[in-house]
Amino acid sequence: MGDGSARDRKRHEYVLRLEQEAAELPEDESDDSGRRANQDDHRAAWVEIQLQQAMRRGEFDNLPGAGKPIPGIDQPYDPDWWIKRLIERERISVLPPALALRKEDADLDATLDRESRPAEVRRILEDFNARIIDARRQLQGGPPVITALRDVEEQLEAWKARRAERFARIKAEAVEKRRTATRWQRLMGRDTT
């Protein structure tokens, strides 16, 4: 049994003894405030023990931001600081639906090109079209939804053409690299055949 586990066991026994002592205190109403203070002291001691153990295990070492000033400490208090940080960290778009759809429409071909299966491309296109229709139905303020629906079959064929072109380009680059490497090896006197 390691030194750390023996120490943890002793601390656990200490905490159990403190809990048992707290349970055995008399139920006298006049002593209620003293008992409560005693329990608070025991709880504070337990928390302190947990913190000390965590520090010994190194759980507080190398935390992000260690040794650096707290960001924004010199700026005035903003009650919405947490939501602003969440939006920044998660890159949440807070655009109205019409503008968010326009932005997504501009990037849709690149999004589709990252997919490898036609079924997934179809799903993305159908979801995009459904969100456009839904945004058109809702009468929320903001700019009108002018983003056009995408023809799923037409976009699927365009995706297949771009994919075939990309694979042909990659294959041609690989052949050219192999040809260049072979020439270089022949020049250096190493025949690869």
mmCIF file of all heavy atoms in Angstrom, residues 75-119:
data_model
loop_
_atom_site.group_PDB
_atom_site.id
_atom_site.type_symbol
_atom_site.label_atom_id
_atom_site.label_comp_id
_atom_site.label_asym_id
_atom_site.label_seq_id
_atom_site.Cartn_x
_atom_site.Cartn_y
_atom_site.Cartn_z
ATOM 1 N N GLN A 75 -11.040 46.311 -16.013
ATOM 2 C CA GLN A 75 -12.188 46.908 -16.694
ATOM 3 C C GLN A 75 -13.384 46.976 -15.747
ATOM 4 O O GLN A 75 -13.464 46.205 -14.790
ATOM 5 C CB GLN A 75 -12.536 46.108 -17.940
ATOM 6 C CG GLN A 75 -11.408 46.137 -18.944
ATOM 7 C CD GLN A 75 -11.750 45.359 -20.206
ATOM 8 O OE1 GLN A 75 -12.836 44.827 -20.336
ATOM 9 N NE2 GLN A 75 -10.796 45.315 -21.122
ATOM 10 N N PRO A 76 -14.325 47.873 -16.027
ATOM 11 C CA PRO A 76 -15.489 47.970 -15.151
ATOM 12 C C PRO A 76 -16.329 46.694 -15.207
ATOM 13 O O PRO A 76 -16.312 45.961 -16.196
ATOM 14 C CB PRO A 76 -16.271 49.168 -15.705
ATOM 15 C CG PRO A 76 -15.727 49.415 -17.058
ATOM 16 C CD PRO A 76 -14.346 48.840 -17.105
ATOM 17 N N TYR A 77 -17.077 46.458 -14.131
ATOM 18 C CA TYR A 77 -17.886 45.246 -14.024
ATOM 19 C C TYR A 77 -18.992 45.240 -15.070
ATOM 20 O O TYR A 77 -19.692 46.230 -15.261
ATOM 21 C CB TYR A 77 -18.495 45.134 -12.628
ATOM 22 C CG TYR A 77 -19.394 43.937 -12.484
ATOM 23 C CD1 TYR A 77 -18.854 42.659 -12.420
ATOM 24 C CD2 TYR A 77 -20.771 44.072 -12.437
ATOM 25 C CE1 TYR A 77 -19.667 41.547 -12.316
ATOM 26 C CE2 TYR A 77 -21.590 42.967 -12.327
ATOM 27 C CZ TYR A 77 -21.043 41.705 -12.264
ATOM 28 O OH TYR A 77 -21.856 40.613 -12.161
ATOM 29 N N ASP A 78 -19.118 44.110 -15.741
ATOM 30 C CA ASP A 78 -20.176 43.916 -16.730
ATOM 31 C C ASP A 78 -21.019 42.735 -16.263
ATOM 32 O O ASP A 78 -20.517 41.618 -16.167
ATOM 33 C CB ASP A 78 -19.564 43.633 -18.104
ATOM 34 C CG ASP A 78 -20.604 43.434 -19.184
ATOM 35 O OD1 ASP A 78 -21.800 43.662 -18.921
ATOM 36 O OD2 ASP A 78 -20.219 43.047 -20.301
ATOM 37 N N PRO A 79 -22.307 42.937 -15.961
ATOM 38 C CA PRO A 79 -23.119 41.827 -15.467
ATOM 39 C C PRO A 79 -23.311 40.716 -16.496
ATOM 40 O O PRO A 79 -23.644 39.596 -16.137
ATOM 41 C CB PRO A 79 -24.457 42.478 -15.103
ATOM 42 C CG PRO A 79 -24.476 43.773 -15.818
ATOM 43 C CD PRO A 79 -23.053 44.180 -16.031
ATOM 44 N N ASP A 80 -23.089 40.990 -17.760
ATOM 45 C CA ASP A 80 -23.254 39.981 -18.809
ATOM 46 C C ASP A 80 -21.923 39.399 -19.266
ATOM 47 O O ASP A 80 -21.823 38.843 -20.352
ATOM 48 C CB ASP A 80 -23.976 40.597 -20.011
ATOM 49 C CG ASP A 80 -25.387 41.037 -19.672
ATOM 50 O OD1 ASP A 80 -26.009 40.386 -18.808
ATOM 51 O OD2 ASP A 80 -25.851 42.025 -20.261
ATOM 52 N N TRP A 81 -20.892 39.490 -18.430
ATOM 53 C CA TRP A 81 -19.570 39.028 -18.814
ATOM 54 C C TRP A 81 -19.569 37.546 -19.173
ATOM 55 O O TRP A 81 -18.901 37.128 -20.111
ATOM 56 C CB TRP A 81 -18.548 39.287 -17.705
ATOM 57 C CG TRP A 81 -18.798 38.489 -16.464
ATOM 58 C CD1 TRP A 81 -19.550 38.853 -15.385
ATOM 59 C CD2 TRP A 81 -18.307 37.175 -16.181
ATOM 60 N NE1 TRP A 81 -19.567 37.859 -14.456
ATOM 61 C CE2 TRP A 81 -18.806 36.803 -14.914
ATOM 62 C CE3 TRP A 81 -17.503 36.270 -16.867
ATOM 63 C CZ2 TRP A 81 -18.532 35.590 -14.326
ATOM 64 C CZ3 TRP A 81 -17.230 35.057 -16.269
ATOM 65 C CH2 TRP A 81 -17.744 34.730 -15.016
ATOM 66 N N TRP A 82 -20.317 36.743 -18.431
ATOM 67 C CA TRP A 82 -20.281 35.295 -18.642
ATOM 68 C C TRP A 82 -20.895 34.906 -19.984
ATOM 69 O O TRP A 82 -20.394 34.027 -20.664
ATOM 70 C CB TRP A 82 -20.972 34.574 -17.478
ATOM 71 C CG TRP A 82 -22.429 34.905 -17.368
ATOM 72 C CD1 TRP A 82 -22.993 35.959 -16.725
ATOM 73 C CD2 TRP A 82 -23.505 34.199 -17.980
ATOM 74 N NE1 TRP A 82 -24.357 35.951 -16.884
ATOM 75 C CE2 TRP A 82 -24.704 34.865 -17.644
ATOM 76 C CE3 TRP A 82 -23.583 33.057 -18.756
ATOM 77 C CZ2 TRP A 82 -25.937 34.442 -18.073
ATOM 78 C CZ3 TRP A 82 -24.829 32.627 -19.183
ATOM 79 C CH2 TRP A 82 -25.986 33.316 -18.833
ATOM 80 N N ILE A 83 -21.978 35.579 -20.373
ATOM 81 C CA ILE A 83 -22.610 35.238 -21.646
ATOM 82 C C ILE A 83 -21.734 35.695 -22.810
ATOM 83 O O ILE A 83 -21.631 35.004 -23.827
ATOM 84 C CB ILE A 83 -24.044 35.803 -21.750
ATOM 85 C CG1 ILE A 83 -24.797 35.199 -22.932
ATOM 86 C CG2 ILE A 83 -24.050 37.292 -21.888
ATOM 87 C CD1 ILE A 83 -25.194 33.794 -22.742
ATOM 88 N N LYS A 84 -21.069 36.828 -22.643
ATOM 89 C CA LYS A 84 -20.171 37.305 -23.699
ATOM 90 C C LYS A 84 -18.990 36.357 -23.874
ATOM 91 O O LYS A 84 -18.568 36.079 -24.997
ATOM 92 C CB LYS A 84 -19.694 38.722 -23.373
ATOM 93 C CG LYS A 84 -20.811 39.749 -23.501
ATOM 94 C CD LYS A 84 -20.363 41.129 -23.110
ATOM 95 C CE LYS A 84 -21.519 42.115 -23.218
ATOM 96 N NZ LYS A 84 -21.163 43.438 -22.735
ATOM 97 N N ARG A 85 -18.458 35.856 -22.770
ATOM 98 C CA ARG A 85 -17.345 34.899 -22.866
ATOM 99 C C ARG A 85 -17.801 33.584 -23.479
ATOM 100 O O ARG A 85 -17.070 32.961 -24.237
ATOM 101 C CB ARG A 85 -16.727 34.655 -21.492
ATOM 102 C CG ARG A 85 -15.937 35.828 -21.009
ATOM 103 C CD ARG A 85 -14.685 35.420 -20.278
ATOM 104 N NE ARG A 85 -14.020 36.602 -19.765
ATOM 105 C CZ ARG A 85 -13.701 36.784 -18.503
ATOM 106 N NH1 ARG A 85 -13.978 35.864 -17.622
ATOM 107 N NH2 ARG A 85 -13.098 37.890 -18.136
ATOM 108 N N LEU A 86 -19.013 33.152 -23.130
ATOM 109 C CA LEU A 86 -19.562 31.922 -23.705
ATOM 110 C C LEU A 86 -19.704 32.059 -25.219
ATOM 111 O O LEU A 86 -19.325 31.166 -25.981
ATOM 112 C CB LEU A 86 -20.918 31.590 -23.077
ATOM 113 C CG LEU A 86 -21.642 30.391 -23.679
ATOM 114 C CD1 LEU A 86 -20.929 29.101 -23.291
ATOM 115 C CD2 LEU A 86 -23.083 30.353 -23.227
ATOM 116 N N ILE A 87 -20.244 33.190 -25.664
ATOM 117 C CA ILE A 87 -20.424 33.434 -27.101
ATOM 118 C C ILE A 87 -19.072 33.439 -27.810
ATOM 119 O O ILE A 87 -18.914 32.855 -28.880
ATOM 120 C CB ILE A 87 -21.179 34.758 -27.329
ATOM 121 C CG1 ILE A 87 -22.643 34.595 -26.906
ATOM 122 C CG2 ILE A 87 -21.073 35.213 -28.769
ATOM 123 C CD1 ILE A 87 -23.410 35.904 -26.839
ATOM 124 N N GLU A 88 -18.099 34.074 -27.189
ATOM 125 C CA GLU A 88 -16.759 34.137 -27.787
ATOM 126 C C GLU A 88 -16.094 32.762 -27.809
ATOM 127 O O GLU A 88 -15.545 32.347 -28.826
ATOM 128 C CB GLU A 88 -15.908 35.110 -26.977
ATOM 129 C CG GLU A 88 -14.501 35.274 -27.482
ATOM 130 C CD GLU A 88 -13.708 36.218 -26.613
ATOM 131 O OE1 GLU A 88 -14.245 37.262 -26.209
ATOM 132 O OE2 GLU A 88 -12.550 35.887 -26.315
ATOM 133 N N ARG A 89 -16.159 32.041 -26.680
ATOM 134 C CA ARG A 89 -15.498 30.743 -26.574
ATOM 135 C C ARG A 89 -16.138 29.702 -27.482
ATOM 136 O O ARG A 89 -15.457 28.943 -28.157
ATOM 137 C CB ARG A 89 -15.534 30.265 -25.122
ATOM 138 C CG ARG A 89 -14.793 28.958 -24.907
ATOM 139 C CD ARG A 89 -14.855 28.484 -23.465
ATOM 140 N NE ARG A 89 -16.219 28.117 -23.113
ATOM 141 C CZ ARG A 89 -16.912 28.656 -22.111
ATOM 142 N NH1 ARG A 89 -16.374 29.579 -21.354
ATOM 143 N NH2 ARG A 89 -18.147 28.264 -21.857
ATOM 144 N N GLU A 90 -17.463 29.662 -27.528
ATOM 145 C CA GLU A 90 -18.166 28.648 -28.310
ATOM 146 C C GLU A 90 -18.439 29.100 -29.743
ATOM 147 O O GLU A 90 -19.029 28.362 -30.514
ATOM 148 C CB GLU A 90 -19.492 28.290 -27.627
ATOM 149 C CG GLU A 90 -19.334 27.741 -26.232
ATOM 150 C CD GLU A 90 -18.602 26.424 -26.188
ATOM 151 O OE1 GLU A 90 -18.732 25.639 -27.143
ATOM 152 O OE2 GLU A 90 -17.887 26.178 -25.192
ATOM 153 N N ARG A 91 -18.040 30.324 -30.067
ATOM 154 C CA ARG A 91 -18.260 30.904 -31.400
ATOM 155 C C ARG A 91 -19.739 30.811 -31.793
ATOM 156 O O ARG A 91 -20.087 30.346 -32.878
ATOM 157 C CB ARG A 91 -17.389 30.221 -32.439
ATOM 158 C CG ARG A 91 -15.925 30.418 -32.171
ATOM 159 C CD ARG A 91 -15.086 29.834 -33.272
ATOM 160 N NE ARG A 91 -13.701 29.809 -32.843
ATOM 161 C CZ ARG A 91 -12.918 28.764 -32.980
ATOM 162 N NH1 ARG A 91 -13.355 27.680 -33.539
ATOM 163 N NH2 ARG A 91 -11.684 28.811 -32.558
ATOM 164 N N ILE A 92 -20.567 31.224 -30.869
ATOM 165 C CA ILE A 92 -22.007 31.181 -31.092
ATOM 166 C C ILE A 92 -22.398 32.379 -31.948
ATOM 167 O O ILE A 92 -22.008 33.501 -31.682
ATOM 168 C CB ILE A 92 -22.765 31.220 -29.749
ATOM 169 C CG1 ILE A 92 -22.422 29.980 -28.926
ATOM 170 C CG2 ILE A 92 -24.267 31.310 -29.972
ATOM 171 C CD1 ILE A 92 -22.957 29.999 -27.522
ATOM 172 N N SER A 93 -23.192 32.111 -32.951
ATOM 173 C CA SER A 93 -23.659 33.174 -33.826
ATOM 174 C C SER A 93 -24.904 33.795 -33.222
ATOM 175 O O SER A 93 -25.846 33.099 -32.875
ATOM 176 C CB SER A 93 -23.972 32.610 -35.210
ATOM 177 O OG SER A 93 -24.577 33.606 -35.993
ATOM 178 N N VAL A 94 -24.904 35.090 -33.094
ATOM 179 C CA VAL A 94 -26.075 35.779 -32.558
ATOM 180 C C VAL A 94 -26.701 36.631 -33.659
ATOM 181 O O VAL A 94 -27.317 37.645 -33.391
ATOM 182 C CB VAL A 94 -25.721 36.632 -31.320
ATOM 183 C CG1 VAL A 94 -25.412 35.749 -30.143
ATOM 184 C CG2 VAL A 94 -24.569 37.564 -31.602
ATOM 185 N N LEU A 95 -26.522 36.191 -34.899
ATOM 186 C CA LEU A 95 -27.110 36.905 -36.020
ATOM 187 C C LEU A 95 -28.593 36.574 -36.129
ATOM 188 O O LEU A 95 -29.016 35.481 -35.745
ATOM 189 C CB LEU A 95 -26.406 36.495 -37.318
ATOM 190 C CG LEU A 95 -24.946 36.873 -37.473
ATOM 191 C CD1 LEU A 95 -24.388 36.226 -38.734
ATOM 192 C CD2 LEU A 95 -24.777 38.357 -37.516
ATOM 193 N N PRO A 96 -29.392 37.486 -36.684
ATOM 194 C CA PRO A 96 -30.783 37.142 -36.971
ATOM 195 C C PRO A 96 -30.803 35.978 -37.968
ATOM 196 O O PRO A 96 -29.859 35.795 -38.745
ATOM 197 C CB PRO A 96 -31.350 38.410 -37.608
ATOM 198 C CG PRO A 96 -30.373 39.482 -37.366
ATOM 199 C CD PRO A 96 -29.062 38.846 -37.037
ATOM 200 N N PRO A 97 -31.881 35.184 -37.971
ATOM 201 C CA PRO A 97 -31.913 34.004 -38.842
ATOM 202 C C PRO A 97 -31.619 34.314 -40.312
ATOM 203 O O PRO A 97 -30.926 33.543 -40.979
ATOM 204 C CB PRO A 97 -33.336 33.481 -38.669
ATOM 205 C CG PRO A 97 -33.785 33.988 -37.351
ATOM 206 C CD PRO A 97 -33.078 35.289 -37.148
ATOM 207 N N ALA A 98 -32.120 35.434 -40.823
ATOM 208 C CA ALA A 98 -31.904 35.755 -42.232
ATOM 209 C C ALA A 98 -30.405 35.928 -42.535
ATOM 210 O O ALA A 98 -29.899 35.408 -43.536
ATOM 211 C CB ALA A 98 -32.661 37.024 -42.606
ATOM 212 N N LEU A 99 -29.704 36.632 -41.657
ATOM 213 C CA LEU A 99 -28.270 36.856 -41.887
ATOM 214 C C LEU A 99 -27.457 35.593 -41.627
ATOM 215 O O LEU A 99 -26.482 35.313 -42.337
ATOM 216 C CB LEU A 99 -27.777 38.002 -41.010
ATOM 217 C CG LEU A 99 -28.410 39.369 -41.287
ATOM 218 C CD1 LEU A 99 -27.845 40.414 -40.349
ATOM 219 C CD2 LEU A 99 -28.201 39.775 -42.732
ATOM 220 N N ALA A 100 -27.856 34.811 -40.624
ATOM 221 C CA ALA A 100 -27.147 33.561 -40.342
ATOM 222 C C ALA A 100 -27.274 32.596 -41.524
ATOM 223 O O ALA A 100 -26.309 31.930 -41.896
ATOM 224 C CB ALA A 100 -27.698 32.927 -39.068
ATOM 225 N N LEU A 101 -28.471 32.559 -42.131
ATOM 226 C CA LEU A 101 -28.671 31.685 -43.290
ATOM 227 C C LEU A 101 -27.866 32.163 -44.491
ATOM 228 O O LEU A 101 -27.327 31.357 -45.252
ATOM 229 C CB LEU A 101 -30.153 31.594 -43.636
ATOM 230 C CG LEU A 101 -30.984 30.735 -42.670
ATOM 231 C CD1 LEU A 101 -32.467 30.935 -42.917
ATOM 232 C CD2 LEU A 101 -30.599 29.276 -42.785
ATOM 233 N N ARG A 102 -27.772 33.480 -44.677
ATOM 234 C CA ARG A 102 -26.953 34.006 -45.782
ATOM 235 C C ARG A 102 -25.494 33.625 -45.600
ATOM 236 O O ARG A 102 -24.816 33.220 -46.544
ATOM 237 C CB ARG A 102 -27.058 35.529 -45.842
ATOM 238 C CG ARG A 102 -28.323 36.034 -46.434
ATOM 239 C CD ARG A 102 -28.250 37.535 -46.591
ATOM 240 N NE ARG A 102 -29.565 38.120 -46.391
ATOM 241 C CZ ARG A 102 -29.804 39.410 -46.286
ATOM 242 N NH1 ARG A 102 -28.803 40.268 -46.341
ATOM 243 N NH2 ARG A 102 -31.017 39.859 -46.120
ATOM 244 N N LYS A 103 -25.006 33.762 -44.366
ATOM 245 C CA LYS A 103 -23.612 33.422 -44.074
ATOM 246 C C LYS A 103 -23.381 31.927 -44.302
ATOM 247 O O LYS A 103 -22.392 31.520 -44.903
ATOM 248 C CB LYS A 103 -23.278 33.795 -42.630
ATOM 249 C CG LYS A 103 -21.839 33.557 -42.244
ATOM 250 C CD LYS A 103 -21.615 34.025 -40.821
ATOM 251 C CE LYS A 103 -20.191 33.886 -40.356
ATOM 252 N NZ LYS A 103 -19.502 32.691 -40.681
ATOM 253 N N GLU A 104 -24.317 31.108 -43.833
ATOM 254 C CA GLU A 104 -24.183 29.665 -44.027
ATOM 255 C C GLU A 104 -24.256 29.292 -45.507
ATOM 256 O O GLU A 104 -23.539 28.412 -45.966
ATOM 257 C CB GLU A 104 -25.285 28.935 -43.253
ATOM 258 C CG GLU A 104 -25.131 27.444 -43.265
ATOM 259 C CD GLU A 104 -26.171 26.733 -42.434
ATOM 260 O OE1 GLU A 104 -26.900 27.384 -41.665
ATOM 261 O OE2 GLU A 104 -26.260 25.506 -42.575
ATOM 262 N N ASP A 105 -25.107 30.000 -46.263
ATOM 263 C CA ASP A 105 -25.233 29.740 -47.692
ATOM 264 C C ASP A 105 -23.912 30.021 -48.407
ATOM 265 O O ASP A 105 -23.509 29.279 -49.302
ATOM 266 C CB ASP A 105 -26.357 30.604 -48.277
ATOM 267 C CG ASP A 105 -26.621 30.305 -49.738
ATOM 268 O OD1 ASP A 105 -26.694 29.109 -50.096
ATOM 269 O OD2 ASP A 105 -26.746 31.261 -50.531
ATOM 270 N N ALA A 106 -23.224 31.079 -47.991
ATOM 271 C CA ALA A 106 -21.945 31.419 -48.620
ATOM 272 C C ALA A 106 -20.886 30.345 -48.361
ATOM 273 O O ALA A 106 -20.012 30.116 -49.197
ATOM 274 C CB ALA A 106 -21.461 32.768 -48.095
ATOM 275 N N ASP A 107 -20.967 29.666 -47.223
ATOM 276 C CA ASP A 107 -19.970 28.663 -46.848
ATOM 277 C C ASP A 107 -20.446 27.229 -47.092
ATOM 278 O O ASP A 107 -19.740 26.284 -46.732
ATOM 279 C CB ASP A 107 -19.622 28.804 -45.356
ATOM 280 C CG ASP A 107 -19.025 30.161 -45.031
ATOM 281 O OD1 ASP A 107 -18.430 30.770 -45.925
ATOM 282 O OD2 ASP A 107 -19.170 30.607 -43.866
ATOM 283 N N LEU A 108 -21.630 27.058 -47.685
ATOM 284 C CA LEU A 108 -22.224 25.721 -47.777
ATOM 285 C C LEU A 108 -21.419 24.775 -48.662
ATOM 286 O O LEU A 108 -21.249 23.604 -48.314
ATOM 287 C CB LEU A 108 -23.676 25.807 -48.267
ATOM 288 C CG LEU A 108 -24.482 24.521 -48.145
ATOM 289 C CD1 LEU A 108 -24.525 24.054 -46.697
ATOM 290 C CD2 LEU A 108 -25.886 24.717 -48.672
ATOM 291 N N ASP A 109 -20.882 25.242 -49.779
ATOM 292 C CA ASP A 109 -20.109 24.353 -50.654
ATOM 293 C C ASP A 109 -18.881 23.811 -49.929
ATOM 294 O O ASP A 109 -18.559 22.623 -50.039
ATOM 295 C CB ASP A 109 -19.693 25.073 -51.935
ATOM 296 C CG ASP A 109 -20.855 25.275 -52.893
ATOM 297 O OD1 ASP A 109 -21.896 24.606 -52.714
ATOM 298 O OD2 ASP A 109 -20.722 26.100 -53.815
ATOM 299 N N ALA A 110 -18.208 24.683 -49.179
ATOM 300 C CA ALA A 110 -17.029 24.229 -48.421
ATOM 301 C C ALA A 110 -17.434 23.225 -47.346
ATOM 302 O O ALA A 110 -16.720 22.245 -47.101
ATOM 303 C CB ALA A 110 -16.325 25.423 -47.788
ATOM 304 N N THR A 111 -18.584 23.450 -46.725
ATOM 305 C CA THR A 111 -19.084 22.511 -45.710
ATOM 306 C C THR A 111 -19.380 21.159 -46.348
ATOM 307 O O THR A 111 -19.028 20.114 -45.800
ATOM 308 C CB THR A 111 -20.357 23.071 -45.044
ATOM 309 O OG1 THR A 111 -20.050 24.332 -44.448
ATOM 310 C CG2 THR A 111 -20.893 22.122 -43.993
ATOM 311 N N LEU A 112 -20.023 21.189 -47.504
ATOM 312 C CA LEU A 112 -20.354 19.938 -48.195
ATOM 313 C C LEU A 112 -19.091 19.202 -48.643
ATOM 314 O O LEU A 112 -19.041 17.977 -48.602
ATOM 315 C CB LEU A 112 -21.253 20.218 -49.402
ATOM 316 C CG LEU A 112 -22.635 20.804 -49.103
ATOM 317 C CD1 LEU A 112 -23.375 21.108 -50.392
ATOM 318 C CD2 LEU A 112 -23.442 19.886 -48.207
ATOM 319 N N ASP A 113 -18.078 19.945 -49.079
ATOM 320 C CA ASP A 113 -16.853 19.322 -49.574
ATOM 321 C C ASP A 113 -16.084 18.595 -48.472
ATOM 322 O O ASP A 113 -15.253 17.738 -48.765
ATOM 323 C CB ASP A 113 -15.945 20.357 -50.235
ATOM 324 C CG ASP A 113 -16.501 20.819 -51.576
ATOM 325 O OD1 ASP A 113 -17.418 20.146 -52.100
ATOM 326 O OD2 ASP A 113 -16.041 21.863 -52.083
ATOM 327 N N ARG A 114 -16.353 18.903 -47.222
ATOM 328 C CA ARG A 114 -15.695 18.194 -46.119
ATOM 329 C C ARG A 114 -16.339 16.832 -45.856
ATOM 330 O O ARG A 114 -15.779 16.019 -45.130
ATOM 331 C CB ARG A 114 -15.740 19.038 -44.843
ATOM 332 C CG ARG A 114 -14.783 20.210 -44.867
ATOM 333 C CD ARG A 114 -14.638 20.851 -43.507
ATOM 334 N NE ARG A 114 -15.849 21.500 -43.055
ATOM 335 C CZ ARG A 114 -16.151 22.779 -43.240
ATOM 336 N NH1 ARG A 114 -15.298 23.555 -43.883
ATOM 337 N NH2 ARG A 114 -17.266 23.288 -42.791
ATOM 338 N N GLU A 115 -17.505 16.599 -46.426
ATOM 339 C CA GLU A 115 -18.209 15.328 -46.216
ATOM 340 C C GLU A 115 -17.709 14.275 -47.199
ATOM 341 O O GLU A 115 -17.254 14.600 -48.287
ATOM 342 C CB GLU A 115 -19.716 15.517 -46.372
ATOM 343 C CG GLU A 115 -20.317 16.450 -45.343
ATOM 344 C CD GLU A 115 -20.093 15.990 -43.917
ATOM 345 O OE1 GLU A 115 -20.090 14.766 -43.667
ATOM 346 O OE2 GLU A 115 -19.906 16.853 -43.049
ATOM 347 N N SER A 116 -17.830 13.014 -46.797
ATOM 348 C CA SER A 116 -17.331 11.932 -47.655
ATOM 349 C C SER A 116 -18.435 11.030 -48.175
ATOM 350 O O SER A 116 -18.173 10.192 -49.033
ATOM 351 C CB SER A 116 -16.307 11.093 -46.873
ATOM 352 O OG SER A 116 -16.931 10.530 -45.730
ATOM 353 N N ARG A 117 -19.659 11.182 -47.656
ATOM 354 C CA ARG A 117 -20.744 10.302 -48.085
ATOM 355 C C ARG A 117 -21.891 11.119 -48.675
ATOM 356 O O ARG A 117 -22.288 12.145 -48.115
ATOM 357 C CB ARG A 117 -21.271 9.509 -46.896
ATOM 358 C CG ARG A 117 -20.235 8.575 -46.305
ATOM 359 C CD ARG A 117 -20.809 7.692 -45.213
ATOM 360 N NE ARG A 117 -22.060 8.182 -44.676
ATOM 361 C CZ ARG A 117 -22.325 8.352 -43.393
ATOM 362 N NH1 ARG A 117 -21.431 8.048 -42.516
ATOM 363 N NH2 ARG A 117 -23.484 8.792 -42.984
ATOM 364 N N PRO A 118 -22.443 10.668 -49.799
ATOM 365 C CA PRO A 118 -23.569 11.383 -50.414
ATOM 366 C C PRO A 118 -24.775 11.493 -49.485
ATOM 367 O O PRO A 118 -25.474 12.507 -49.506
ATOM 368 C CB PRO A 118 -23.904 10.541 -51.646
ATOM 369 C CG PRO A 118 -22.696 9.722 -51.919
ATOM 370 C CD PRO A 118 -22.002 9.541 -50.625
ATOM 371 N N ALA A 119 -25.013 10.491 -48.660
ATOM 372 C CA ALA A 119 -26.162 10.532 -47.747
ATOM 373 C C ALA A 119 -26.021 11.686 -46.750
ATOM 374 O O ALA A 119 -27.012 12.360 -46.419
ATOM 375 C CB ALA A 119 -26.296 9.209 -46.998
#
